[in-house]
Amino acid sequence: MNEKQEKLAASLLKAVGGKDNVNTVTHCMTRLRFNLKDKSIPDKNEIKQISGVLGIIEAGGQFQIIIGQTVNETYEYLCRMGNFTNEDNSISEKPKEKITAKYIGNSILNALAGCLTPLIPVMIAASMFKMVVAIFGPQMLGIIKEGTNLYTLLTFVGDAGFYFFPVMIGYTTAKKFGATPVLGIFLGAILIHPTFITMAAQHTPFSVFGIPCTPQNYASSVLPALLSVWILSYVEKFFNKHITPSLRTVFAPTLSIAVMLPVSLCILSPAGGFLGNYICKGLLGLGDYAGFIAVAIIAALWEFLVMSGMHLLMITTLIMVFSQNGSESMVSPAGAVASIATAGMVLGAALRIRNKEQKGLAWGYFVASLIGGVTEPGLYGVGIRYKKTFRGLIAGGFAGGLYAGLTKTTAHAMVPVASLLGLTGFAGGPVSDIVNGCIACGIGFAVAAVVTYFFGFNKDDPALLSAEEKKDK
């Protein structure tokens, strides 16, 4: 496996134009994300033929190559070959581009991906602890009693993953925009200091260097820290550039934070909190206008958002909604249904395909999707490859989402995985939610599999012929 990933990394680095054509390279759970100097160099068709490549996406200003579950190993070899490092894989300054609406949109998506994707492991771990409390605690099975040490431990560990979001986002945002990571952490920590939170709870009048400030509780928030550290990156660079090296170590970080205190506490953080609240209210109010049909539509189209990278906007909103309300009944159920429907689509294809090699790949995609929680191999290896198989995915997503919308199924924990573990997100509230959540996902899975099997292929598709039948033709 190591030799295979090493060879893949070498082939990809060459295909994108070598390390001299790479500004930055990062990765998420399944994709290598390149920021390239010259985007015209890579030959997409050539890259798609490389063994181990599942697909290619250009989104958020990035050239993204989908690898699947071995992306970590491939990324490590890539870093060694290109002399990139995990701390800062920037080779050179990004080339200037003409500022257009598309450029601004891509930059926002790129920024969100860089700041939020590294937090996925924390969200998964925290959600798992909260899930255990929800299922085995007094609300459901009653195995873990309220007030016991285990109950208390699991509860505060699960809550910590979301409560300290400003600190963690301070770190990831600093890395994304080139600020000193510990300063990003420091600025995020200031937002949730107990003194500041106490002033917010007691509505204590306060000012920062004479500038009026309205203290707020920014625990579990996303945008206040993200916006603040983004501006910090420019402030710190300014002081690093203009302060003599002999004084820079002491005064650059000190002055950077001093400047950011009024900017963050009086302007950016309140603005981020205000914007976050209205984004949350907008998403939660969507059902008032579109009703149950909205869940069905989102579920039918969710995986196409994943392929385009636009799902990051939804995930950002979900983080804010769960942080503030602790539950959500629109996007989370739709995403869970769509993920399981993807596995259904792949199962239908695996049962229908007769070509031995393609059938084996389809079964592998099925396991990766349903158990491993990685839908992209199925989306590209089956959906993009055969095209009509998307009929099953859309039908399954819509049917399952429709049921979830009609029953007002609510998710009580954000579990950002696309496997069967995603069903645990429905635990923590009424038992009806986890029952209806499982039924909705089951409907999506079954409908996707059946529609894909019967309507997902052209009758003369070579994949439907066995080796013997091909020879006869």
Side-chain angles (χ1 to χ4, degrees), residues 7 24 44 52 63 78 91 114 181 189 216 221 241 261 285 295 319 327 355 358-359 392 399 416 420 463:
K7 182 178 179 181
T24 61
K44 294 181 182 179
F63 189 82
L78 196 64
I91 303 298
Q216 297 182 39
S221 64
K241 181 178 180 180
L261 287 176
V295 184
I319 292 172
S327 63
N355 178 282
Q358 295 303 320
K359 192 179 190 72
L420 286 172

Side-chain angles (χ1 to χ4, degrees), residues 437-457:
C438 290
I439 292 175
C441 290
I443 291 173
F445 180 83
V447 171
V450 171
V451 172
T452 300
Y453 185 88
F454 288 105
F455 306 104
F457 296 88

Side-chain angles (χ1 to χ4, degrees), residues 314-384:
M314 288 287 195
I315 290 176
T316 304
T317 305
L318 283 179
I319 292 172
M320 292 185 285
V321 171
F322 275 104
S323 298
Q324 295 181 19
N325 299 297
S327 63
E328 195 273 325
S329 58
M330 185 71 62
V331 178
S332 292
V337 168
S339 299
I340 301 300
T342 302
M345 174 190 72
V346 177
L347 175 63
L351 295 173
R352 188 79 167 87
I353 293 172
R354 299 187 65 187
N355 178 282
K356 187 175 180 180
E357 180 182 355
Q358 295 303 320
K359 192 179 190 72
L361 288 173
W363 280 114
Y365 301 152
F366 173 70
V367 173
S369 178
L370 194 64
I371 307 300
V374 183
T375 59
E376 286 168 315
L379 291 174
Y380 288 90
V382 171
I384 293 294

Side-chain angles (χ1 to χ4, degrees), residues 23 54 101 117 119 131 177 183 205 217 231 245 256 268 326-327 340 353 358 367 381 384 408 420 428 446:
N23 281 313
L54 299 174
T117 300
L119 296 177
M131 176 270 295
F177 292 107
L183 287 183
N217 188 342
I231 298 301
S256 296
L268 295 178
S327 63
I340 301 300
I353 293 172
Q358 295 303 320
V367 173
I384 293 294
K408 297 183 178 180
L420 286 172

Side-chain angles (χ1 to χ4, degrees), residues 206-225:
F206 187 64
S207 66
V208 181
F209 303 145
I211 302 173
C213 170
T214 303
Q216 297 182 39
N217 188 342
Y218 295 115
S220 302
S221 64
V222 174
L223 294 181

